[in-house]
Amino acid sequence: MDAIDLQHVRDDFPVTRRMLYLDAAHQTPLATSIRRGIEAFLEESNENAGPKPVWLGRVEAVRARAAAFLGAAPQELAFTKNTSEGLNIAANALPLAAGDNVLMIEGDHPNNAYAWLNLARKGVEVRFIRLHDGVADATLFAPHIDARTRVISMSHVTFHAGHVHDLASIGALCRERGLYFVVDAMQSVGVVPIDVKALGISLLAAGCHKGLLVPQGLGLLYADARLTDLQPAYLAWASLARPPADLIANPADLAPAPGAARFELGNFNLPDIHALDKALDLIEGIGITNVHAHMQMLGDRLIEHLDRFGIGLVGPRTRAHRAHIYVLDLPAEPWLAYFAQHNVRVSPERDGIRISFGIFNTREDVDRLAGLIYSHSPDRWADLSPADFRLTA
Ligand SMILES: Cc1ncc(COP(=O)(O)O)c(C=O)c1O
């Protein structure tokens, strides 16, 4: 049963009329309502080249909305370009010294890993921990913490198998042991509810082009306001506490702005920030808890089908440990070409074919996918019949 009626949301995504889009973890298709938000900005720019003060007022309004969406205060949120930029800002802002170490999960997203590996030049070591089963929680990291461990950095939801890690227990461990907790929320933001305070997150980075439904080029960086010792690696007029009004650099006053503003450089990605405003309308109109529940419901249906086929699921099966990403244990060859031939968009992933849902997907989409899997090799599933994949009422 559909948790909520999302037909009006589906209608906002023209891509759903052109193909079976099951690749939201790769790139969001653009919703028409969000496109209109960008177009309205372009129209103002085209006709009047501004007014910039109005645009900047909107930047602050969207910042406040986006911060609230994460459970943060506006001054704790910086706009960036993407996840990698946010993670690199975080890695370079923390007061780490030679001999310190950072704990990560082996195989986590390379954009997270490289931000920390790049600190080798300062003598900071990255230690990768192997996750055998299930999802990561405090018990995975606790035995690896030593006197020089300063940071745990990890993805909230993994891109390669869809684990939804237990951030709450890891955040509590970091609080208890005095560690910084850095989270890559690229795959979770806009899909799974996030409350940075409740989860004990020190810094969180995400891009907006997946669950947040915005075209590529905008990121969010949350920095806990209590971390007053964070140092920006770059400095610009806008990132100063007291930017000189005469626009002449003052070497005697380089104090960075309080809060996350110290990490913002120069002008903003205004089209995308306008898009984010509309995207938040869309997501908050549904409710993030409902979005998450919808993804889990689609996952339930997919797993039902996979079980009938005897096709393995690479990531977690437990509802609490999964959201919108499901990797099917099917070889990329021939499945990728087969799906493409039938106008189905999916991604090849490390261990199979990755299906990832967006808020525009329905249970019928999952049934269509199952029908296609069946038709690929009906002999292999001779004990099943096409009726098993008939659309549900
Ligand atoms: C977990 C995770 N982090 C980061 C990224 C991408 O980083 P960026 O936003 O810098 O392109 C992705 C996927 O594109 C991802 O899945």
PDB file of all heavy atoms in Angstrom, residues 25-26 81-85 87 108-109 111-112 155 157-159 184-187 206-207 209-210 354, ligand 1:
ATOM      1  N   ALA A  25      19.784   8.210  -7.110  1.00  0.00           N
ATOM      2  CA  ALA A  25      21.016   8.325  -6.329  1.00  0.00           C
ATOM      3  C   ALA A  25      22.180   8.779  -7.203  1.00  0.00           C
ATOM      4  O   ALA A  25      23.253   9.113  -6.699  1.00  0.00           O
ATOM      5  CB  ALA A  25      21.360   6.985  -5.683  1.00  0.00           C
ATOM      6  N   HIS A  26      21.948   8.783  -8.507  1.00  0.00           N
ATOM      7  CA  HIS A  26      22.979   9.278  -9.423  1.00  0.00           C
ATOM      8  C   HIS A  26      22.746  10.764  -9.682  1.00  0.00           C
ATOM      9  O   HIS A  26      23.643  11.591  -9.530  1.00  0.00           O
ATOM     10  CB  HIS A  26      22.919   8.471 -10.722  1.00  0.00           C
ATOM     11  CG  HIS A  26      23.761   9.023 -11.817  1.00  0.00           C
ATOM     12  ND1 HIS A  26      25.119   9.169 -11.699  1.00  0.00           N
ATOM     13  CD2 HIS A  26      23.434   9.489 -13.053  1.00  0.00           C
ATOM     14  CE1 HIS A  26      25.597   9.694 -12.823  1.00  0.00           C
ATOM     15  NE2 HIS A  26      24.605   9.904 -13.641  1.00  0.00           N
ATOM     16  N   LYS A  81      29.859  24.294  -3.147  1.00  0.00           N
ATOM     17  CA  LYS A  81      29.636  23.850  -4.529  1.00  0.00           C
ATOM     18  C   LYS A  81      29.123  22.409  -4.568  1.00  0.00           C
ATOM     19  O   LYS A  81      28.309  22.059  -5.408  1.00  0.00           O
ATOM     20  CB  LYS A  81      30.978  23.944  -5.257  1.00  0.00           C
ATOM     21  CG  LYS A  81      30.911  23.730  -6.734  1.00  0.00           C
ATOM     22  CD  LYS A  81      32.239  24.089  -7.395  1.00  0.00           C
ATOM     23  CE  LYS A  81      33.343  23.135  -6.983  1.00  0.00           C
ATOM     24  NZ  LYS A  81      34.631  23.380  -7.637  1.00  0.00           N
ATOM     25  N   ASN A  82      29.629  21.580  -3.661  1.00  0.00           N
ATOM     26  CA  ASN A  82      29.254  20.157  -3.678  1.00  0.00           C
ATOM     27  C   ASN A  82      29.755  19.479  -2.391  1.00  0.00           C
ATOM     28  O   ASN A  82      30.326  20.147  -1.525  1.00  0.00           O
ATOM     29  CB  ASN A  82      29.822  19.458  -4.920  1.00  0.00           C
ATOM     30  CG  ASN A  82      31.310  19.720  -5.081  1.00  0.00           C
ATOM     31  OD1 ASN A  82      32.045  19.756  -4.107  1.00  0.00           O
ATOM     32  ND2 ASN A  82      31.749  19.924  -6.307  1.00  0.00           N
ATOM     33  N   THR A  83      29.564  18.203  -2.308  1.00  0.00           N
ATOM     34  CA  THR A  83      29.971  17.454  -1.115  1.00  0.00           C
ATOM     35  C   THR A  83      31.481  17.505  -0.909  1.00  0.00           C
ATOM     36  O   THR A  83      31.962  17.721   0.210  1.00  0.00           O
ATOM     37  CB  THR A  83      29.585  15.961  -1.258  1.00  0.00           C
ATOM     38  OG1 THR A  83      28.345  15.859  -1.925  1.00  0.00           O
ATOM     39  CG2 THR A  83      29.515  15.269   0.077  1.00  0.00           C
ATOM     40  N   SER A  84      32.214  17.279  -1.988  1.00  0.00           N
ATOM     41  CA  SER A  84      33.678  17.212  -1.876  1.00  0.00           C
ATOM     42  C   SER A  84      34.233  18.512  -1.326  1.00  0.00           C
ATOM     43  O   SER A  84      35.153  18.504  -0.501  1.00  0.00           O
ATOM     44  CB  SER A  84      34.310  16.975  -3.252  1.00  0.00           C
ATOM     45  OG  SER A  84      33.711  15.898  -3.875  1.00  0.00           O
ATOM     46  N   GLU A  85      33.686  19.615  -1.793  1.00  0.00           N
ATOM     47  CA  GLU A  85      34.173  20.899  -1.303  1.00  0.00           C
ATOM     48  C   GLU A  85      33.905  21.008   0.201  1.00  0.00           C
ATOM     49  O   GLU A  85      34.783  21.403   0.979  1.00  0.00           O
ATOM     50  CB  GLU A  85      33.521  22.058  -2.052  1.00  0.00           C
ATOM     51  CG  GLU A  85      34.157  23.383  -1.682  1.00  0.00           C
ATOM     52  CD  GLU A  85      33.601  24.557  -2.467  1.00  0.00           C
ATOM     53  OE1 GLU A  85      32.359  24.735  -2.492  1.00  0.00           O
ATOM     54  OE2 GLU A  85      34.385  25.306  -3.049  1.00  0.00           O
ATOM     55  N   LEU A  87      33.526  18.616   2.414  1.00  0.00           N
ATOM     56  CA  LEU A  87      34.369  17.697   3.196  1.00  0.00           C
ATOM     57  C   LEU A  87      35.810  18.198   3.256  1.00  0.00           C
ATOM     58  O   LEU A  87      36.471  18.089   4.287  1.00  0.00           O
ATOM     59  CB  LEU A  87      34.311  16.290   2.588  1.00  0.00           C
ATOM     60  CG  LEU A  87      32.957  15.586   2.752  1.00  0.00           C
ATOM     61  CD1 LEU A  87      32.891  14.334   1.872  1.00  0.00           C
ATOM     62  CD2 LEU A  87      32.708  15.216   4.213  1.00  0.00           C
ATOM     63  N   ASP A 108      34.284   3.540   1.727  1.00  0.00           N
ATOM     64  CA  ASP A 108      33.364   4.692   1.734  1.00  0.00           C
ATOM     65  C   ASP A 108      33.646   5.547   0.490  1.00  0.00           C
ATOM     66  O   ASP A 108      34.631   5.336  -0.214  1.00  0.00           O
ATOM     67  CB  ASP A 108      33.574   5.513   3.024  1.00  0.00           C
ATOM     68  CG  ASP A 108      32.336   6.320   3.396  1.00  0.00           C
ATOM     69  OD1 ASP A 108      31.544   6.662   2.484  1.00  0.00           O
ATOM     70  OD2 ASP A 108      32.149   6.626   4.589  1.00  0.00           O
ATOM     71  N   HIS A 109      32.787   6.513   0.245  1.00  0.00           N
ATOM     72  CA  HIS A 109      32.903   7.271  -1.002  1.00  0.00           C
ATOM     73  C   HIS A 109      34.294   7.913  -1.128  1.00  0.00           C
ATOM     74  O   HIS A 109      34.783   8.527  -0.191  1.00  0.00           O
ATOM     75  CB  HIS A 109      31.819   8.357  -1.062  1.00  0.00           C
ATOM     76  CG  HIS A 109      31.615   8.845  -2.468  1.00  0.00           C
ATOM     77  ND1 HIS A 109      32.462   9.740  -3.066  1.00  0.00           N
ATOM     78  CD2 HIS A 109      30.687   8.523  -3.400  1.00  0.00           C
ATOM     79  CE1 HIS A 109      32.053   9.964  -4.310  1.00  0.00           C
ATOM     80  NE2 HIS A 109      30.974   9.241  -4.537  1.00  0.00           N
ATOM     81  N   ASN A 111      35.265  10.572  -2.480  1.00  0.00           N
ATOM     82  CA  ASN A 111      35.322  12.024  -2.249  1.00  0.00           C
ATOM     83  C   ASN A 111      35.449  12.345  -0.766  1.00  0.00           C
ATOM     84  O   ASN A 111      35.954  13.407  -0.404  1.00  0.00           O
ATOM     85  CB  ASN A 111      34.088  12.724  -2.830  1.00  0.00           C
ATOM     86  CG  ASN A 111      34.131  12.748  -4.344  1.00  0.00           C
ATOM     87  OD1 ASN A 111      35.151  12.409  -4.930  1.00  0.00           O
ATOM     88  ND2 ASN A 111      33.044  13.151  -4.969  1.00  0.00           N
ATOM     89  N   ASN A 112      34.968  11.464   0.069  1.00  0.00           N
ATOM     90  CA  ASN A 112      35.155  11.634   1.500  1.00  0.00           C
ATOM     91  C   ASN A 112      36.585  11.217   1.860  1.00  0.00           C
ATOM     92  O   ASN A 112      37.323  11.956   2.508  1.00  0.00           O
ATOM     93  CB  ASN A 112      34.115  10.791   2.256  1.00  0.00           C
ATOM     94  CG  ASN A 112      34.059  11.125   3.748  1.00  0.00           C
ATOM     95  OD1 ASN A 112      34.804  11.950   4.236  1.00  0.00           O
ATOM     96  ND2 ASN A 112      33.178  10.463   4.461  1.00  0.00           N
ATOM     97  N   SER A 155      29.917   8.303   5.477  1.00  0.00           N
ATOM     98  CA  SER A 155      28.648   8.578   4.790  1.00  0.00           C
ATOM     99  C   SER A 155      27.493   8.190   5.694  1.00  0.00           C
ATOM    100  O   SER A 155      27.592   7.206   6.434  1.00  0.00           O
ATOM    101  CB  SER A 155      28.526   7.732   3.518  1.00  0.00           C
ATOM    102  OG  SER A 155      29.475   8.122   2.580  1.00  0.00           O
ATOM    103  N   VAL A 157      24.327   7.524   4.270  1.00  0.00           N
ATOM    104  CA  VAL A 157      23.774   6.441   3.442  1.00  0.00           C
ATOM    105  C   VAL A 157      24.820   6.112   2.387  1.00  0.00           C
ATOM    106  O   VAL A 157      25.350   7.018   1.734  1.00  0.00           O
ATOM    107  CB  VAL A 157      22.462   6.893   2.769  1.00  0.00           C
ATOM    108  CG1 VAL A 157      21.993   5.877   1.736  1.00  0.00           C
ATOM    109  CG2 VAL A 157      21.363   7.115   3.810  1.00  0.00           C
ATOM    110  N   THR A 158      25.139   4.824   2.210  1.00  0.00           N
ATOM    111  CA  THR A 158      26.192   4.487   1.249  1.00  0.00           C
ATOM    112  C   THR A 158      25.641   4.434  -0.176  1.00  0.00           C
ATOM    113  O   THR A 158      24.555   3.902  -0.418  1.00  0.00           O
ATOM    114  CB  THR A 158      26.894   3.149   1.574  1.00  0.00           C
ATOM    115  OG1 THR A 158      25.965   2.071   1.427  1.00  0.00           O
ATOM    116  CG2 THR A 158      27.450   3.151   2.984  1.00  0.00           C
ATOM    117  N   PHE A 159      26.460   4.972  -1.073  1.00  0.00           N
ATOM    118  CA  PHE A 159      26.069   5.022  -2.483  1.00  0.00           C
ATOM    119  C   PHE A 159      26.152   3.649  -3.125  1.00  0.00           C
ATOM    120  O   PHE A 159      25.497   3.377  -4.114  1.00  0.00           O
ATOM    121  CB  PHE A 159      26.983   5.993  -3.253  1.00  0.00           C
ATOM    122  CG  PHE A 159      28.380   5.470  -3.477  1.00  0.00           C
ATOM    123  CD1 PHE A 159      28.748   4.968  -4.720  1.00  0.00           C
ATOM    124  CD2 PHE A 159      29.308   5.447  -2.458  1.00  0.00           C
ATOM    125  CE1 PHE A 159      30.028   4.468  -4.941  1.00  0.00           C
ATOM    126  CE2 PHE A 159      30.592   4.947  -2.662  1.00  0.00           C
ATOM    127  CZ  PHE A 159      30.950   4.459  -3.900  1.00  0.00           C
ATOM    128  N   ASP A 184      29.098  12.726   5.597  1.00  0.00           N
ATOM    129  CA  ASP A 184      28.792  12.964   4.185  1.00  0.00           C
ATOM    130  C   ASP A 184      27.326  12.562   3.997  1.00  0.00           C
ATOM    131  O   ASP A 184      26.989  11.373   4.040  1.00  0.00           O
ATOM    132  CB  ASP A 184      29.725  12.092   3.328  1.00  0.00           C
ATOM    133  CG  ASP A 184      29.351  12.075   1.841  1.00  0.00           C
ATOM    134  OD1 ASP A 184      28.259  12.548   1.487  1.00  0.00           O
ATOM    135  OD2 ASP A 184      30.164  11.560   1.053  1.00  0.00           O
ATOM    136  N   ALA A 185      26.482  13.569   3.814  1.00  0.00           N
ATOM    137  CA  ALA A 185      25.034  13.299   3.724  1.00  0.00           C
ATOM    138  C   ALA A 185      24.525  13.404   2.291  1.00  0.00           C
ATOM    139  O   ALA A 185      23.333  13.582   2.071  1.00  0.00           O
ATOM    140  CB  ALA A 185      24.277  14.268   4.630  1.00  0.00           C
ATOM    141  N   MET A 186      25.436  13.239   1.337  1.00  0.00           N
ATOM    142  CA  MET A 186      25.025  13.390  -0.070  1.00  0.00           C
ATOM    143  C   MET A 186      23.846  12.489  -0.421  1.00  0.00           C
ATOM    144  O   MET A 186      22.923  12.899  -1.101  1.00  0.00           O
ATOM    145  CB  MET A 186      26.216  13.073  -0.982  1.00  0.00           C
ATOM    146  CG  MET A 186      25.910  13.098  -2.456  1.00  0.00           C
ATOM    147  SD  MET A 186      25.763  14.734  -3.182  1.00  0.00           S
ATOM    148  CE  MET A 186      24.029  14.890  -3.440  1.00  0.00           C
ATOM    149  N   GLN A 187      23.909  11.240   0.041  1.00  0.00           N
ATOM    150  CA  GLN A 187      22.848  10.310  -0.354  1.00  0.00           C
ATOM    151  C   GLN A 187      21.658  10.333   0.597  1.00  0.00           C
ATOM    152  O   GLN A 187      20.632   9.728   0.286  1.00  0.00           O
ATOM    153  CB  GLN A 187      23.398   8.877  -0.437  1.00  0.00           C
ATOM    154  CG  GLN A 187      24.362   8.643  -1.602  1.00  0.00           C
ATOM    155  CD  GLN A 187      23.689   8.739  -2.977  1.00  0.00           C
ATOM    156  OE1 GLN A 187      22.479   8.960  -3.097  1.00  0.00           O
ATOM    157  NE2 GLN A 187      24.477   8.591  -4.025  1.00  0.00           N
ATOM    158  N   ALA A 206      27.014  18.025   2.066  1.00  0.00           N
ATOM    159  CA  ALA A 206      26.168  17.349   1.071  1.00  0.00           C
ATOM    160  C   ALA A 206      26.067  18.214  -0.172  1.00  0.00           C
ATOM    161  O   ALA A 206      26.162  19.441  -0.086  1.00  0.00           O
ATOM    162  CB  ALA A 206      24.771  17.104   1.634  1.00  0.00           C
ATOM    163  N   GLY A 207      25.876  17.565  -1.288  1.00  0.00           N
ATOM    164  CA  GLY A 207      25.498  18.274  -2.502  1.00  0.00           C
ATOM    165  C   GLY A 207      23.982  18.279  -2.561  1.00  0.00           C
ATOM    166  O   GLY A 207      23.314  17.551  -1.821  1.00  0.00           O
ATOM    167  N   HIS A 209      22.153  17.812  -5.514  1.00  0.00           N
ATOM    168  CA  HIS A 209      21.639  17.345  -6.806  1.00  0.00           C
ATOM    169  C   HIS A 209      21.067  15.925  -6.795  1.00  0.00           C
ATOM    170  O   HIS A 209      20.862  15.325  -7.841  1.00  0.00           O
ATOM    171  CB  HIS A 209      22.717  17.472  -7.888  1.00  0.00           C
ATOM    172  CG  HIS A 209      23.876  16.549  -7.712  1.00  0.00           C
ATOM    173  ND1 HIS A 209      24.934  16.836  -6.887  1.00  0.00           N
ATOM    174  CD2 HIS A 209      24.141  15.337  -8.252  1.00  0.00           C
ATOM    175  CE1 HIS A 209      25.806  15.846  -6.948  1.00  0.00           C
ATOM    176  NE2 HIS A 209      25.352  14.918  -7.763  1.00  0.00           N
ATOM    177  N   LYS A 210      20.804  15.407  -5.591  1.00  0.00           N
ATOM    178  CA  LYS A 210      20.158  14.085  -5.545  1.00  0.00           C
ATOM    179  C   LYS A 210      18.843  14.263  -4.778  1.00  0.00           C
ATOM    180  O   LYS A 210      17.878  14.759  -5.347  1.00  0.00           O
ATOM    181  CB  LYS A 210      21.100  13.067  -4.934  1.00  0.00           C
ATOM    182  CG  LYS A 210      22.418  12.919  -5.737  1.00  0.00           C
ATOM    183  CD  LYS A 210      23.287  11.820  -5.188  1.00  0.00           C
ATOM    184  CE  LYS A 210      24.734  11.909  -5.632  1.00  0.00           C
ATOM    185  NZ  LYS A 210      25.027  11.241  -6.891  1.00  0.00           N
ATOM    186  N   ARG A 354      22.426  -1.030  -9.579  1.00  0.00           N
ATOM    187  CA  ARG A 354      21.842  -0.197  -8.528  1.00  0.00           C
ATOM    188  C   ARG A 354      20.529   0.433  -8.985  1.00  0.00           C
ATOM    189  O   ARG A 354      20.468   1.120  -9.986  1.00  0.00           O
ATOM    190  CB  ARG A 354      22.800   0.922  -8.125  1.00  0.00           C
ATOM    191  CG  ARG A 354      22.251   1.741  -6.967  1.00  0.00           C
ATOM    192  CD  ARG A 354      23.205   2.825  -6.528  1.00  0.00           C
ATOM    193  NE  ARG A 354      23.219   3.920  -7.486  1.00  0.00           N
ATOM    194  CZ  ARG A 354      24.010   4.985  -7.376  1.00  0.00           C
ATOM    195  NH1 ARG A 354      24.860   5.087  -6.368  1.00  0.00           N
ATOM    196  NH2 ARG A 354      23.963   5.949  -8.276  1.00  0.00           N
TER     197      ARG A 354
HETATM  198  C1  LIG B   1      28.192   9.448  -0.594  1.00  0.00           C
HETATM  199  C2  LIG B   1      28.556  10.393  -1.697  1.00  0.00           C
HETATM  200  N1  LIG B   1      29.380  11.420  -1.446  1.00  0.00           N
HETATM  201  C3  LIG B   1      29.725  12.293  -2.401  1.00  0.00           C
HETATM  202  C4  LIG B   1      29.242  12.165  -3.692  1.00  0.00           C
HETATM  203  C5  LIG B   1      29.576  13.135  -4.748  1.00  0.00           C
HETATM  204  O1  LIG B   1      30.366  14.196  -4.342  1.00  0.00           O
HETATM  205  P1  LIG B   1      30.197  15.629  -4.981  1.00  0.00           P
HETATM  206  O2  LIG B   1      28.904  16.210  -4.471  1.00  0.00           O
HETATM  207  O3  LIG B   1      31.369  16.371  -4.499  1.00  0.00           O
HETATM  208  O4  LIG B   1      30.198  15.479  -6.457  1.00  0.00           O
HETATM  209  C6  LIG B   1      28.395  11.090  -4.001  1.00  0.00           C
HETATM  210  C7  LIG B   1      27.835  10.821  -5.326  1.00  0.00           C
HETATM  211  O5  LIG B   1      27.864  11.481  -6.293  1.00  0.00           O
HETATM  212  C8  LIG B   1      28.040  10.210  -2.972  1.00  0.00           C
HETATM  213  O6  LIG B   1      27.233   9.183  -3.227  1.00  0.00           O
END
